[in-house]
Amino acid sequence: MYIFVLFQLKKPFCILFFLIAVLHLASSQVSNHITTSQGLGTNMLTTIIKDHNNYMWIGSYNGLFKHEGSGIKIYKKTTDTARSISAEEMHGIFEDRYGFIWIGTTAGVDKIEPVSGKIQHYYLRNPNGRSTHVGYITSIFQDNKDAIWIGTDVALFKLNYKTGDYKALPVTKDENGIISHYMGYRPSVETKDGLWISTDAGLMFYEYQTEKFYHRYYNPGKKPVFDLAPPFKKINGNSSEICADTKGNLYFITGDNYLGRYNPLTNQLDSFYFEYPPGSWRCCITLCADNFDNIWIGLRHGGLLVFNHQEKSFLPIQKKEINSLISSNYISSVAKDYQGRIWVTTDNG
């Protein structure tokens, strides 16, 4: 996959007007493509994040890349164990609150110290005890006690930051466990009270004070976000990402064709119906809020949908001709940089 960058106006104009404007300004640069020609080791990319120094970290099927503005640093698997990533295919990247970069490869989890380049390795074991294989490591995030949460194909693990010890969280229908370990690349949003987590069985909330999980099976407060009813149509959601806007509203995909918006302070739950473009996968959906609280939805084989929160409408962005804003409809990840620009990985630009 290639990566491209969409530029936004500094003033909060309606995103529809912005896109129409740039399409009519032939001399304006509306996207910047970064490929092997600019220093990537491969064009087959998987995910992307911004760190606290405003560098972009890009995962791929063949190495890790740090975009430093003036150049790209490549991390590969080598014989130097202390400075080598454990494998070159990865699907999860996360920066912890101390500036370390965590990546989930097909061999394990690596913790990278960006300044020295030293890498610490953690090798997870399948909780069934019969295999060391945990499949894809898709997501990594952190709680207020610095535990690192690691989403995999077989379990959601919780790793002790200091000791490296870990355990698989139980899948249960009570407050003592999770309802599913299947989740997207960036499935969590942290608040002062706890973690919101998006899974393929719906949203969960892990409360810091009580260490309880709230979800569709344990919902003593009868919060509507855990007990989704019409117009959402389905109680279970897709295994997509979750994001928050500048006002603290949570956005997620649920049911067949709905973007959900939930305000944890007011308990207000809204839904916005959209149509999937033909050929779109209804899973592996990536979400990102821009500086103006518009929500960018990346779809595999479906391009982008941009939700304008003021107009409550969806603008599709797809590759249809040479001058399209995007070079492919296969979207794997969307992220925002420090200037508010939207970075998007596709399989063709």
Side-chain angles (χ1 to χ4, degrees):
M1 301 175 189
Y2 298 75
I3 183 172
F4 70 92
V5 186
L6 289 177
F7 295 87
Q8 298 185 73
L9 294 181
K10 295 181 179 179
K11 296 182 179 180
F13 291 136
C14 169
I15 191 70
L16 175 60
F17 293 156
F18 164 63
L19 291 173
I20 290 175
V22 296
L23 284 172
H24 285 83
L25 293 175
S27 61
S28 296
Q29 184 184 32
V30 296
S31 63
N32 180 27
H33 296 263
I34 303 170
T35 69
T36 53
S37 299
Q38 286 74 42
L40 292 178
T42 179
N43 292 327
M44 295 297 295
L45 308 180
T46 53
T47 187
I48 183 171
I49 66 164
K50 179 191 77 68
D51 71 14
H52 73 285
N53 289 317
N54 300 320
Y55 297 135
M56 306 301 292
W57 293 78
I58 307 163
S60 81
Y61 285 91
N62 190 27
L64 172 68
F65 313 112
K66 179 184 179 185
H67 190 283
E68 300 178 322
S70 59
I72 296 176
K73 182 176 182 178
I74 298 178
Y75 292 80
K76 303 283 284 186
K77 180 175 173 57
T78 69
T79 57
D80 183 3
T81 305
R83 298 178 184 275
S84 169
I85 59 177
S86 56
E88 294 184 351
E89 180 181 347
M90 65 202 66
H91 296 268
I93 306 180
F94 173 74
E95 182 191 28
D96 70 28
R97 59 175 52 95
Y98 305 110
F100 290 87
I101 301 298
W102 296 72
I103 62 172
T105 77
T106 50
V109 178
D110 298 337
K111 176 185 175 184
I112 303 170
E113 205 291 299
V115 177
S116 69
K118 292 183 179 180
I119 302 176
Q120 187 172 357
H121 306 287
Y122 303 89
Y123 299 103
L124 304 177
R125 186 175 184 84
N126 193 316
N128 66 22
R130 298 188 298 271
S131 169
T132 59
H133 183 64
V134 298
Y136 284 129
I137 298 172
T138 56
S139 56
I140 305 172
F141 48 100
Q142 186 176 26
D143 64 24
N144 70 333
K145 294 183 179 179
D146 288 341
I148 300 296
W149 301 50
I150 304 166
T152 75
D153 282 346
V154 300
L156 176 61
F157 295 93
K158 194 174 178 180
L159 183 144
N160 185 294
Y161 197 94
K162 293 182 178 179
T163 67
D165 297 331
Y166 64 87
K167 64 178 180 180
L169 296 177
V171 177
T172 68
K173 290 187 177 182
D174 58 31
E175 68 272 27
N176 298 313
I178 60 176
I179 53 175
S180 175
H181 64 266
Y182 292 108
M183 52 195 65
Y185 290 160
R186 290 186 292 270
S188 71
V189 169
E190 185 178 16
T191 70
K192 63 180 180 62
D193 297 320
L195 290 170
W196 288 92
I197 305 171
S198 174
T199 77
D200 68 340
L203 288 186
M204 302 186 300
F205 181 72
Y206 174 71
E207 189 175 54
Y208 287 151
Q209 183 177 6
T210 63
E211 298 187 347
K212 291 181 179 180
F213 290 90
Y214 296 84
H215 42 66
R216 58 193 282 194
Y217 299 114
Y218 182 73
N219 185 17
K222 304 298 181 183
K223 293 184 181 295
V225 73
F226 299 128
D227 188 19
L228 298 181
F232 289 96
K233 294 186 177 180
K234 285 187 177 181
I235 193 170
N236 61 310
N238 294 308
S239 132
S240 67
E241 298 178 2
I242 184 173
C243 70
D245 64 18
T246 60
K247 299 178 179 63
N249 293 305
L250 303 176
Y251 286 87
F252 53 93
I253 303 297
T254 188
D256 283 327
N257 298 77
Y258 290 93
L259 175 67
R261 182 177 67 191
Y262 179 66
N263 187 319
L265 297 179
T266 64
N267 211 30
Q268 176 67 36
L269 178 65
D270 300 300
S271 65
F272 308 97
Y273 179 82
F274 66 89
E275 292 283 354
Y276 284 95
S280 297
W281 291 5
R282 299 192 177 209
C283 64
C284 305
I285 302 168
T286 181
L287 299 176
C288 179
D290 66 23
N291 286 347
F292 312 128
D293 290 340
N294 302 305
I295 307 301
W296 296 66
I297 306 171
L299 302 169
R300 302 288 175 96
H301 300 291
L304 292 164
L305 289 175
V306 183
F307 174 70
N308 184 303
H309 77 101
Q310 293 179 333
E311 301 293 331
K312 297 180 174 54
S313 60
F314 293 87
L315 174 70
I317 303 176
Q318 292 187 296
K319 176 176 171 55
K320 296 181 178 179
E321 66 278 328
I322 294 177
N323 294 324
S324 295
L325 284 173
I326 59 177
S327 57
S328 171
N329 290 325
Y330 188 99
I331 309 296
S332 61
S333 188
V334 182
K336 181 181 68 173
D337 69 12
Y338 73 105
Q339 293 180 314
R341 298 175 299 184
I342 300 297
W343 294 59
V344 184
T345 54
T346 81
D347 63 353
N348 190 35

